[in-house]
Amino acid sequence: MTSPRRSFLWLLPLGLALLLFSLLARALQAGEPRTLARSAPSALLMQPAPALDLPPLDPAATLRPAQLRGQVWVLNVWASWCAPCRTELPALRALGEQARVPLVGLNYKDSAPQGLAWLRQHGNPFQLNLADAQGQVALDWGVVAVPETFVVDAQGRVRFKHSGPLTAEQVQRELLPLIERLRHAG
Amino acid sequence: MRVEPWLLSLALFSAQAAPTGPELDQRVEALARELRCLVCQNQSLADSSAPLAQDLKALLRRELAAGKSEEAVRQHLVARYGEVLLYKPPLHAGTALLWGAPLALAGLGLALLLRQRRRAGGEPA
């Protein structure tokens, strides 16, 4: 004869299997997952920002990467061939106007004429653009797909990374408070 | 013939320092097989022809050709892209559960099985 305690033990594997199934079913219903790399936090968080040893996209640029040292600044990786980069432009512009920190563009795998034409056509939110025509500096920043946005603090450490287009809501809720905090910390 | 150990290590070191040709191809390929293509669904860098995968393979080749070890190149990439890049995650505090869970589950199963058998043996047939 089986005791009530033993019959409970028999139910345990079934319960665990049902739990697993329900978790998997929920994950499936959540739709196509973002790729692993895009959902993972940046490996660079709290690490020194990689060097930006690149020529400016616009030869007339006055800001130099060396001048960014000691202040909070934002790096946005973009390209003229990148449609989501155009989508995020209003959010980026709002960020530049309200955060009052240097907004640096990293023009990724683009040609200078096309990059400059894109800026003229859609409006230039950046104080400085650097031309990463071969995409080699982007490899140092761990860029997977454009657009990507980084915030660097006054000590030169990466404090924030976002993959994909920025939204106006995210700028208000996340980025502006972070930049404000970093500015007072520095 | 007796080979001087220091000569052998020198030969090995120089082979390590500047690999070229088929040997370099082989090492790049082997390393690329261990690394995930970050913009593809479940492909290794070796399998992928995505632009980012091509760039990273070129980087592997450059670094290996410059005499870096596989481990150093792996570290270089993990520092930028994170451990998500590695198909075989390293064992540390953050992944202890991942590596330990199968062992713990097998142990639990074995314990339950033994208990069951002892009980069955204890009962009159």
Side-chain angles (χ1 to χ4, degrees):
Chain A
M1 252 193 76
T2 53
S3 67
R5 207 173 114 81
R6 253 184 98 180
S7 56
F8 166 75
L9 267 181
W10 276 110
L11 279 174
L12 190 67
L14 187 66
L16 282 176
L18 281 176
L19 188 72
L20 185 65
F21 280 143
S22 63
L23 281 175
L24 290 175
R26 270 185 55 173
L28 268 180
Q29 275 165 3
E32 181 71 12
R34 286 156 67 80
T35 62
L36 275 168
R38 284 214 143 196
S39 53
S42 171
L44 284 174
L45 282 184
M46 291 312 279
Q47 299 301 311
L52 288 172
D53 232 344
L54 288 168
L57 182 67
D58 182 355
T62 51
L63 187 67
R64 291 275 169 269
Q67 289 169 262
L68 299 168
R69 233 170 281 153
Q71 56 179 325
V72 182
W73 56 283
V74 175
L75 182 76
N76 179 261
V77 189
W78 66 279
S80 67
W81 46 262
C82 152
C85 295
R86 218 165 75 196
T87 320
E88 72 169 355
L89 260 181
L92 212 52
R93 202 168 286 126
L95 176 68
E97 282 162 9
Q98 292 171 43
R100 288 167 290 127
V101 292
L103 191 52
V104 179
L106 186 68
N107 187 225
Y108 177 71
K109 289 196 174 182
D110 214 345
S111 78
Q114 273 171 338
L116 289 169
W118 190 88
L119 290 175
R120 267 194 308 275
Q121 188 185 345
H122 302 293
N124 181 3
F126 304 105
Q127 276 81 59
L128 167 68
N129 264 293
L130 298 164
D132 191 11
Q134 304 303 316
Q136 291 303 309
V137 165
L139 288 182
D140 275 342
W141 284 77
V143 170
V144 172
V146 279
E148 284 188 13
T149 305
F150 299 83
V151 175
V152 180
D153 70 13
Q155 284 78 44
R157 293 170 305 192
V158 175
R159 299 301 291 265
F160 172 90
K161 179 203 177 177
H162 175 73
S163 239
L166 285 176
T167 63
E169 199 237 331
Q170 192 181 19
V171 166
Q172 297 301 328
R173 198 195 59 222
E174 216 175 331
L175 273 160
L176 289 175
L178 171 74
I179 289 169
E180 199 55 34
R181 215 169 58 234
L182 290 178
R183 220 177 8 202
H184 287 297
Chain B
M1 195 187 110
R2 191 172 163 270
V3 179
E4 290 287 335
W6 65 269
L7 206 63
L8 191 66
S9 65
L10 185 71
L12 282 174
F13 179 75
S14 51
Q16 185 87 16
T20 47
E23 191 221 330
L24 178 62
D25 291 346
Q26 220 169 37
R27 285 178 62 196
V28 170
E29 173 77 13
L31 189 53
R33 293 219 163 275
E34 301 176 12
L35 302 174
R36 193 188 301 280
C37 165
L38 294 167
V39 290
C40 327
Q41 296 282 356
N42 210 17
Q43 266 188 320
S44 73
L45 278 186
D47 294 332
S48 173
S49 56
L52 181 69
Q54 302 283 4
D55 286 353
L56 288 175
K57 271 185 280 192
L59 189 136
L60 296 185
R61 174 171 293 273
R62 218 166 37 239
E63 301 275 297
L64 286 177
K68 277 204 188 174
S69 71
E70 266 78 0
E71 188 48 35
V73 179
R74 229 177 268 132
Q75 290 299 323
H76 177 98
L77 284 177
V78 165
R80 287 156 180 80
Y81 286 93
E83 279 175 0
V84 68
L85 195 75
L86 305 173
Y87 270 118
K88 186 179 166 190
L91 178 60
H92 56 68
T95 58
L97 190 65
L98 181 70
W99 284 99
L103 274 177
L105 281 176
L108 186 72
L110 198 67
L112 282 175
L113 188 74
L114 285 176
R115 211 176 97 138
Q116 190 85 359
R117 288 188 62 155
R118 213 177 46 225
R119 279 197 177 184
E123 278 170 22

